[in-house]
Amino acid sequence: MAASSQKQLSMLFLGYVLLVLIMQEVSRPASSKSSPLVAFALSGSQTRDEEVAVLLKWNSKLNSESRSILSSWNGSDPCSWRGLSCNPLGSIISLNLSSSAIRGTLHDLDFSSLPNLVTLKLANNSLFGNIPSSLGNLSKLAYLDLSQNHLSGHVPTQLGSMWSLEVLEFSSNNITSPVLGSIGSLSNFTGLYPQNNKISGFIPPEVGMLKSLNYLFLHKNRITGRILSSIGNMSSLMKLWLFDNDLVGSIPMEIGMLESLSELDLSEN
């Protein structure tokens, strides 16, 4: 209760300071106005309006039970809505509705209108359909968890351009696409969890470029081919689970180069 009150007071104080500064700018002669400050404040307000609009649109497309669960999603202040957290300027940085019995798709959630999102957790719900490519617009996103839903189809290649991404979790769905080959450029990546899906194809050589990866869980899929020697380049890897796939061939000697490795499971191949 105290933390909530303190947060509200902080937001009110920040709003007051911004209002005073803007009024000072407006009252100055046109020749002496500092337009960047006014533009910054107006830009923040416009961003929040867009965030509110896109979330309300998505909520309207969910089933009635979901809308009831998200009954707090009304008005113009999303910072007080269930599952949302904001930065000091009132823009949404976290959307966490894990285990909330939400049913629907992600098609009507335009992620390009949530530019400051850092954390997105929608695990253990009843989401279905494809993973939208607009997720790739979330340039600040660090943690993405879509696990334990009914999502299907391909993982959009646009996720490979999310430079801030550290953890990608979409286990226990019905994803069928090959393992994402464009993730090799994600230098901050620490955890990849696509296990328990229907993923086919080969392990791409780009995986060996993930020098920061600690956890690679590809078990319980339909992955074929050999374990590539490039896996030995993953110097930070601690856990490698590849069991229950269709892998063939010998175990590459380069696995012996993984000095941080503590768990290795290649069974049921």
Side-chain angles (χ1 to χ4, degrees):
M1 183 69 71
S4 177
S5 300
Q6 184 177 4
K7 179 180 179 181
Q8 292 178 353
L9 289 173
S10 299
M11 292 297 296
L12 287 172
F13 176 74
L14 178 60
Y16 172 76
V17 171
L18 286 173
L19 181 61
V20 170
L21 291 174
I22 292 172
M23 292 303 294
Q24 289 177 346
E25 293 294 322
V26 172
S27 63
R28 290 180 185 178
S31 59
S32 64
K33 286 182 181 179
S34 176
S35 59
L37 177 60
V38 176
F40 176 73
L42 293 177
S43 175
S45 177
Q46 180 179 2
T47 297
R48 185 165 68 172
D49 290 344
E50 292 175 353
E51 292 171 340
V52 168
V54 72
L55 289 173
L56 289 178
K57 178 182 178 181
W58 180 56
N59 186 24
S60 70
K61 302 296 183 178
L62 300 174
N63 67 355
S64 58
E65 289 82 2
S66 301
R67 294 196 299 272
S68 176
I69 292 169
L70 300 179
S71 59
S72 64
W73 284 30
N74 60 77
S76 59
D77 180 16
C79 305
S80 62
W81 296 0
R82 173 174 176 167
L84 299 182
S85 298
C86 298
N87 62 19
L89 294 177
S91 181
I92 299 169
I93 58 174
S94 177
L95 171 55
N96 184 357
L97 292 175
S98 294
S99 303
S100 297
I102 302 300
R103 179 173 177 78
T105 73
L106 295 174
H107 298 298
D108 294 295
L109 184 52
D110 183 7
F111 291 102
S112 62
S113 297
L114 300 171
N116 296 313
L117 205 60
V118 176
T119 301
L120 176 59
K121 296 182 180 181
L122 298 173
N124 192 26
N125 283 294
S126 297
L127 299 173
F128 57 91
N130 297 331
I131 299 174
S133 59
S134 63
L135 266 174
N137 295 319
L138 298 177
S139 59
K140 298 180 182 180
L141 195 69
Y143 196 105
L144 174 59
D145 189 354
L146 301 175
S147 61
Q148 300 181 65
N149 280 287
H150 307 293
L151 299 170
S152 58
H154 294 265
V155 175
T157 57
Q158 287 82 355
L159 268 63
S161 62
M162 299 169 66
W163 312 116
S164 300
L165 195 62
E166 298 177 12
V167 175
L168 175 56
E169 163 75 274
F170 56 93
S171 62
S172 301
N173 280 285
N174 296 306
I175 303 298
T176 57
S177 67
V179 178
L180 192 60
S182 58
I183 58 176
S185 59
L186 301 181
S187 58
N188 296 318
F189 222 29
T190 61
L192 177 58
Y193 306 93
Q195 72 268 20
N196 195 23
N197 276 283
K198 299 176 181 178
I199 297 174
S200 59
F202 304 99
I203 299 175
E206 291 85 355
V207 169
M209 299 169 59
L210 299 173
K211 300 293 183 65
S212 299
L213 197 69
N214 300 135
Y215 306 101
L216 178 56
F217 291 172
L218 297 174
H219 54 282
K220 293 189 177 181
N221 277 293
R222 301 172 181 174
I223 299 172
T224 58
R226 297 176 177 271
I227 303 174
L228 303 179
S229 59
S230 61
I231 207 166
N233 298 325
M234 304 173 71
S235 55
S236 300
L237 200 61
M238 300 170 64
K239 295 184 180 182
L240 175 59
W241 292 3
L242 300 176
F243 65 86
D244 198 2
N245 278 291
D246 295 313
L247 297 169
V248 298
S250 58
I251 300 173
M253 294 177 57
E254 287 78 5
I255 280 187
M257 299 168 54
L258 302 177
E259 298 181 353
S260 300
L261 197 67
S262 61
E263 294 184 18
L264 172 64
D265 195 339
L266 307 177
S267 60
E268 298 181 68
N269 279 289

mmCIF file of all heavy atoms in Angstrom, residues 95-127:
data_model
loop_
_atom_site.group_PDB
_atom_site.id
_atom_site.type_symbol
_atom_site.label_atom_id
_atom_site.label_comp_id
_atom_site.label_asym_id
_atom_site.label_seq_id
_atom_site.Cartn_x
_atom_site.Cartn_y
_atom_site.Cartn_z
ATOM 1 N N LEU A 95 4.518 -5.627 -19.697
ATOM 2 C CA LEU A 95 3.183 -6.212 -19.836
ATOM 3 C C LEU A 95 3.283 -7.657 -19.381
ATOM 4 O O LEU A 95 3.895 -8.488 -20.053
ATOM 5 C CB LEU A 95 2.713 -6.127 -21.283
ATOM 6 C CG LEU A 95 1.415 -6.874 -21.666
ATOM 7 C CD1 LEU A 95 0.260 -6.450 -20.776
ATOM 8 C CD2 LEU A 95 1.062 -6.635 -23.126
ATOM 9 N N ASN A 96 2.726 -7.948 -18.224
ATOM 10 C CA ASN A 96 2.821 -9.280 -17.629
ATOM 11 C C ASN A 96 1.421 -9.783 -17.266
ATOM 12 O O ASN A 96 0.845 -9.379 -16.266
ATOM 13 C CB ASN A 96 3.711 -9.250 -16.387
ATOM 14 C CG ASN A 96 3.922 -10.635 -15.789
ATOM 15 O OD1 ASN A 96 3.370 -11.622 -16.266
ATOM 16 N ND2 ASN A 96 4.728 -10.720 -14.748
ATOM 17 N N LEU A 97 0.907 -10.667 -18.124
ATOM 18 C CA LEU A 97 -0.399 -11.276 -17.876
ATOM 19 C C LEU A 97 -0.277 -12.795 -17.817
ATOM 20 O O LEU A 97 -1.213 -13.509 -18.177
ATOM 21 C CB LEU A 97 -1.376 -10.876 -18.985
ATOM 22 C CG LEU A 97 -1.797 -9.401 -19.026
ATOM 23 C CD1 LEU A 97 -2.661 -9.124 -20.246
ATOM 24 C CD2 LEU A 97 -2.534 -9.006 -17.745
ATOM 25 N N SER A 98 0.846 -13.292 -17.371
ATOM 26 C CA SER A 98 1.039 -14.734 -17.253
ATOM 27 C C SER A 98 0.008 -15.337 -16.303
ATOM 28 O O SER A 98 -0.354 -14.731 -15.295
ATOM 29 C CB SER A 98 2.456 -15.045 -16.746
ATOM 30 O OG SER A 98 3.422 -14.655 -17.692
ATOM 31 N N SER A 99 -0.471 -16.528 -16.676
ATOM 32 C CA SER A 99 -1.430 -17.276 -15.838
ATOM 33 C C SER A 99 -2.660 -16.434 -15.509
ATOM 34 O O SER A 99 -3.127 -16.396 -14.373
ATOM 35 C CB SER A 99 -0.747 -17.753 -14.547
ATOM 36 O OG SER A 99 0.379 -18.552 -14.822
ATOM 37 N N SER A 100 -3.194 -15.744 -16.514
ATOM 38 C CA SER A 100 -4.360 -14.878 -16.305
ATOM 39 C C SER A 100 -5.606 -15.371 -17.032
ATOM 40 O O SER A 100 -6.600 -14.645 -17.105
ATOM 41 C CB SER A 100 -4.042 -13.447 -16.764
ATOM 42 O OG SER A 100 -3.013 -12.879 -15.998
ATOM 43 N N ALA A 101 -5.554 -16.583 -17.585
ATOM 44 C CA ALA A 101 -6.712 -17.163 -18.288
ATOM 45 C C ALA A 101 -7.167 -16.297 -19.461
ATOM 46 O O ALA A 101 -8.365 -16.161 -19.722
ATOM 47 C CB ALA A 101 -7.868 -17.399 -17.314
ATOM 48 N N ILE A 102 -6.203 -15.703 -20.163
ATOM 49 C CA ILE A 102 -6.505 -14.868 -21.328
ATOM 50 C C ILE A 102 -6.659 -15.767 -22.552
ATOM 51 O O ILE A 102 -5.807 -16.628 -22.819
ATOM 52 C CB ILE A 102 -5.395 -13.842 -21.575
ATOM 53 C CG1 ILE A 102 -5.208 -12.946 -20.343
ATOM 54 C CG2 ILE A 102 -5.694 -12.999 -22.812
ATOM 55 C CD1 ILE A 102 -6.415 -12.162 -19.962
ATOM 56 N N ARG A 103 -7.725 -15.573 -23.312
ATOM 57 C CA ARG A 103 -7.957 -16.361 -24.523
ATOM 58 C C ARG A 103 -8.163 -15.435 -25.718
ATOM 59 O O ARG A 103 -8.978 -14.507 -25.677
ATOM 60 C CB ARG A 103 -9.180 -17.275 -24.371
ATOM 61 C CG ARG A 103 -9.479 -18.099 -25.625
ATOM 62 C CD ARG A 103 -10.588 -19.103 -25.396
ATOM 63 N NE ARG A 103 -10.891 -19.833 -26.624
ATOM 64 C CZ ARG A 103 -10.184 -20.837 -27.125
ATOM 65 N NH1 ARG A 103 -9.095 -21.245 -26.493
ATOM 66 N NH2 ARG A 103 -10.521 -21.439 -28.246
ATOM 67 N N GLY A 104 -7.403 -15.690 -26.780
ATOM 68 C CA GLY A 104 -7.507 -14.886 -27.984
ATOM 69 C C GLY A 104 -6.243 -14.996 -28.800
ATOM 70 O O GLY A 104 -5.423 -15.898 -28.587
ATOM 71 N N THR A 105 -6.058 -14.098 -29.746
ATOM 72 C CA THR A 105 -4.853 -14.092 -30.578
ATOM 73 C C THR A 105 -4.052 -12.821 -30.292
ATOM 74 O O THR A 105 -4.490 -11.934 -29.547
ATOM 75 C CB THR A 105 -5.220 -14.138 -32.076
ATOM 76 O OG1 THR A 105 -5.742 -12.862 -32.475
ATOM 77 C CG2 THR A 105 -6.250 -15.226 -32.359
ATOM 78 N N LEU A 106 -2.885 -12.761 -30.924
ATOM 79 C CA LEU A 106 -2.042 -11.576 -30.802
ATOM 80 C C LEU A 106 -2.130 -10.687 -32.047
ATOM 81 O O LEU A 106 -1.432 -9.684 -32.139
ATOM 82 C CB LEU A 106 -0.579 -11.993 -30.573
ATOM 83 C CG LEU A 106 -0.291 -12.738 -29.262
ATOM 84 C CD1 LEU A 106 1.155 -13.217 -29.240
ATOM 85 C CD2 LEU A 106 -0.582 -11.858 -28.055
ATOM 86 N N HIS A 107 -2.986 -11.055 -32.982
ATOM 87 C CA HIS A 107 -3.046 -10.350 -34.263
ATOM 88 C C HIS A 107 -3.468 -8.898 -34.105
ATOM 89 O O HIS A 107 -3.037 -8.027 -34.874
ATOM 90 C CB HIS A 107 -3.999 -11.067 -35.223
ATOM 91 C CG HIS A 107 -3.577 -12.457 -35.564
ATOM 92 N ND1 HIS A 107 -2.389 -12.725 -36.203
ATOM 93 C CD2 HIS A 107 -4.158 -13.664 -35.348
ATOM 94 C CE1 HIS A 107 -2.260 -14.036 -36.376
ATOM 95 N NE2 HIS A 107 -3.318 -14.623 -35.850
ATOM 96 N N ASP A 108 -4.318 -8.601 -33.146
ATOM 97 C CA ASP A 108 -4.827 -7.244 -32.978
ATOM 98 C C ASP A 108 -4.022 -6.426 -31.978
ATOM 99 O O ASP A 108 -4.436 -5.322 -31.612
ATOM 100 C CB ASP A 108 -6.291 -7.289 -32.529
ATOM 101 C CG ASP A 108 -7.199 -7.879 -33.598
ATOM 102 O OD1 ASP A 108 -7.322 -7.256 -34.671
ATOM 103 O OD2 ASP A 108 -7.754 -8.971 -33.367
ATOM 104 N N LEU A 109 -2.880 -6.980 -31.554
ATOM 105 C CA LEU A 109 -2.007 -6.238 -30.647
ATOM 106 C C LEU A 109 -0.845 -5.686 -31.467
ATOM 107 O O LEU A 109 0.118 -6.397 -31.770
ATOM 108 C CB LEU A 109 -1.503 -7.145 -29.525
ATOM 109 C CG LEU A 109 -0.639 -6.507 -28.435
ATOM 110 C CD1 LEU A 109 -1.317 -5.276 -27.851
ATOM 111 C CD2 LEU A 109 -0.328 -7.515 -27.331
ATOM 112 N N ASP A 110 -0.928 -4.423 -31.853
ATOM 113 C CA ASP A 110 0.090 -3.793 -32.693
ATOM 114 C C ASP A 110 1.275 -3.380 -31.828
ATOM 115 O O ASP A 110 1.265 -2.330 -31.186
ATOM 116 C CB ASP A 110 -0.509 -2.570 -33.397
ATOM 117 C CG ASP A 110 0.480 -1.911 -34.333
ATOM 118 O OD1 ASP A 110 1.577 -2.477 -34.542
ATOM 119 O OD2 ASP A 110 0.171 -0.832 -34.866
ATOM 120 N N PHE A 111 2.296 -4.229 -31.827
ATOM 121 C CA PHE A 111 3.436 -3.998 -30.940
ATOM 122 C C PHE A 111 4.238 -2.757 -31.328
ATOM 123 O O PHE A 111 4.981 -2.222 -30.509
ATOM 124 C CB PHE A 111 4.340 -5.233 -30.923
ATOM 125 C CG PHE A 111 3.718 -6.419 -30.251
ATOM 126 C CD1 PHE A 111 3.175 -7.452 -31.000
ATOM 127 C CD2 PHE A 111 3.651 -6.493 -28.876
ATOM 128 C CE1 PHE A 111 2.588 -8.548 -30.384
ATOM 129 C CE2 PHE A 111 3.068 -7.585 -28.248
ATOM 130 C CZ PHE A 111 2.528 -8.615 -29.000
ATOM 131 N N SER A 112 4.086 -2.275 -32.564
ATOM 132 C CA SER A 112 4.800 -1.065 -32.963
ATOM 133 C C SER A 112 4.319 0.157 -32.183
ATOM 134 O O SER A 112 5.010 1.179 -32.143
ATOM 135 C CB SER A 112 4.634 -0.828 -34.468
ATOM 136 O OG SER A 112 3.275 -0.627 -34.799
ATOM 137 N N SER A 113 3.160 0.051 -31.548
ATOM 138 C CA SER A 113 2.630 1.151 -30.729
ATOM 139 C C SER A 113 3.027 1.027 -29.267
ATOM 140 O O SER A 113 2.534 1.787 -28.421
ATOM 141 C CB SER A 113 1.098 1.202 -30.841
ATOM 142 O OG SER A 113 0.696 1.479 -32.160
ATOM 143 N N LEU A 114 3.917 0.082 -28.966
ATOM 144 C CA LEU A 114 4.422 -0.095 -27.598
ATOM 145 C C LEU A 114 5.945 -0.001 -27.636
ATOM 146 O O LEU A 114 6.657 -0.947 -27.282
ATOM 147 C CB LEU A 114 3.981 -1.458 -27.038
ATOM 148 C CG LEU A 114 2.478 -1.704 -26.951
ATOM 149 C CD1 LEU A 114 2.199 -3.165 -26.604
ATOM 150 C CD2 LEU A 114 1.832 -0.781 -25.916
ATOM 151 N N PRO A 115 6.503 1.135 -28.047
ATOM 152 C CA PRO A 115 7.931 1.237 -28.357
ATOM 153 C C PRO A 115 8.874 1.094 -27.180
ATOM 154 O O PRO A 115 10.065 0.810 -27.374
ATOM 155 C CB PRO A 115 8.049 2.635 -28.982
ATOM 156 C CG PRO A 115 6.937 3.411 -28.342
ATOM 157 C CD PRO A 115 5.803 2.428 -28.200
ATOM 158 N N ASN A 116 8.386 1.278 -25.956
ATOM 159 C CA ASN A 116 9.276 1.251 -24.786
ATOM 160 C C ASN A 116 9.176 -0.044 -23.989
ATOM 161 O O ASN A 116 9.737 -0.149 -22.890
ATOM 162 C CB ASN A 116 8.960 2.443 -23.880
ATOM 163 C CG ASN A 116 9.251 3.767 -24.562
ATOM 164 O OD1 ASN A 116 10.309 3.949 -25.157
ATOM 165 N ND2 ASN A 116 8.306 4.695 -24.494
ATOM 166 N N LEU A 117 8.490 -1.028 -24.548
ATOM 167 C CA LEU A 117 8.290 -2.289 -23.833
ATOM 168 C C LEU A 117 9.619 -3.026 -23.637
ATOM 169 O O LEU A 117 10.360 -3.258 -24.592
ATOM 170 C CB LEU A 117 7.317 -3.168 -24.611
ATOM 171 C CG LEU A 117 6.514 -4.212 -23.820
ATOM 172 C CD1 LEU A 117 5.661 -3.535 -22.753
ATOM 173 C CD2 LEU A 117 5.633 -5.020 -24.757
ATOM 174 N N VAL A 118 9.911 -3.377 -22.392
ATOM 175 C CA VAL A 118 11.142 -4.104 -22.042
ATOM 176 C C VAL A 118 10.839 -5.553 -21.689
ATOM 177 O O VAL A 118 11.629 -6.448 -21.990
ATOM 178 C CB VAL A 118 11.854 -3.412 -20.853
ATOM 179 C CG1 VAL A 118 13.082 -4.208 -20.417
ATOM 180 C CG2 VAL A 118 12.249 -1.986 -21.232
ATOM 181 N N THR A 119 9.683 -5.787 -21.077
ATOM 182 C CA THR A 119 9.295 -7.128 -20.643
ATOM 183 C C THR A 119 7.901 -7.461 -21.158
ATOM 184 O O THR A 119 6.970 -6.665 -20.989
ATOM 185 C CB THR A 119 9.300 -7.232 -19.105
ATOM 186 O OG1 THR A 119 10.610 -6.921 -18.610
ATOM 187 C CG2 THR A 119 8.917 -8.640 -18.661
ATOM 188 N N LEU A 120 7.770 -8.640 -21.786
ATOM 189 C CA LEU A 120 6.467 -9.108 -22.266
ATOM 190 C C LEU A 120 6.303 -10.560 -21.833
ATOM 191 O O LEU A 120 6.998 -11.453 -22.317
ATOM 192 C CB LEU A 120 6.378 -8.997 -23.787
ATOM 193 C CG LEU A 120 5.098 -9.542 -24.439
ATOM 194 C CD1 LEU A 120 3.864 -8.825 -23.898
ATOM 195 C CD2 LEU A 120 5.160 -9.412 -25.959
ATOM 196 N N LYS A 121 5.382 -10.791 -20.884
ATOM 197 C CA LYS A 121 5.140 -12.124 -20.354
ATOM 198 C C LYS A 121 3.660 -12.465 -20.494
ATOM 199 O O LYS A 121 2.814 -11.857 -19.834
ATOM 200 C CB LYS A 121 5.552 -12.199 -18.870
ATOM 201 C CG LYS A 121 7.035 -11.984 -18.622
ATOM 202 C CD LYS A 121 7.374 -12.118 -17.140
ATOM 203 C CE LYS A 121 8.844 -11.918 -16.867
ATOM 204 N NZ LYS A 121 9.170 -12.063 -15.416
ATOM 205 N N LEU A 122 3.384 -13.442 -21.355
ATOM 206 C CA LEU A 122 2.005 -13.886 -21.587
ATOM 207 C C LEU A 122 1.909 -15.399 -21.420
ATOM 208 O O LEU A 122 1.057 -16.045 -22.034
ATOM 209 C CB LEU A 122 1.550 -13.472 -22.986
ATOM 210 C CG LEU A 122 1.511 -11.964 -23.274
ATOM 211 C CD1 LEU A 122 1.205 -11.702 -24.744
ATOM 212 C CD2 LEU A 122 0.483 -11.271 -22.395
ATOM 213 N N ALA A 123 2.756 -15.974 -20.609
ATOM 214 C CA ALA A 123 2.835 -17.422 -20.449
ATOM 215 C C ALA A 123 1.599 -18.002 -19.766
ATOM 216 O O ALA A 123 0.900 -17.324 -19.007
ATOM 217 C CB ALA A 123 4.083 -17.791 -19.640
ATOM 218 N N ASN A 124 1.340 -19.268 -20.064
ATOM 219 C CA ASN A 124 0.288 -20.038 -19.399
ATOM 220 C C ASN A 124 -1.073 -19.383 -19.545
ATOM 221 O O ASN A 124 -1.763 -19.103 -18.586
ATOM 222 C CB ASN A 124 0.627 -20.242 -17.920
ATOM 223 C CG ASN A 124 -0.268 -21.277 -17.262
ATOM 224 O OD1 ASN A 124 -0.805 -22.175 -17.919
ATOM 225 N ND2 ASN A 124 -0.445 -21.158 -15.957
ATOM 226 N N ASN A 125 -1.453 -19.136 -20.802
ATOM 227 C CA ASN A 125 -2.779 -18.632 -21.134
ATOM 228 C C ASN A 125 -3.366 -19.513 -22.237
ATOM 229 O O ASN A 125 -2.929 -20.649 -22.415
ATOM 230 C CB ASN A 125 -2.691 -17.168 -21.565
ATOM 231 C CG ASN A 125 -2.519 -16.213 -20.385
ATOM 232 O OD1 ASN A 125 -3.411 -16.071 -19.560
ATOM 233 N ND2 ASN A 125 -1.368 -15.555 -20.317
ATOM 234 N N SER A 126 -4.321 -18.997 -22.956
ATOM 235 C CA SER A 126 -4.931 -19.744 -24.059
ATOM 236 C C SER A 126 -4.843 -18.953 -25.350
ATOM 237 O O SER A 126 -5.807 -18.832 -26.101
ATOM 238 C CB SER A 126 -6.396 -20.083 -23.735
ATOM 239 O OG SER A 126 -6.498 -20.927 -22.605
ATOM 240 N N LEU A 127 -3.671 -18.409 -25.607
ATOM 241 C CA LEU A 127 -3.440 -17.668 -26.838
ATOM 242 C C LEU A 127 -3.248 -18.648 -27.997
ATOM 243 O O LEU A 127 -2.583 -19.668 -27.848
ATOM 244 C CB LEU A 127 -2.212 -16.775 -26.704
ATOM 245 C CG LEU A 127 -2.289 -15.693 -25.612
ATOM 246 C CD1 LEU A 127 -0.955 -14.988 -25.466
ATOM 247 C CD2 LEU A 127 -3.400 -14.700 -25.920
#
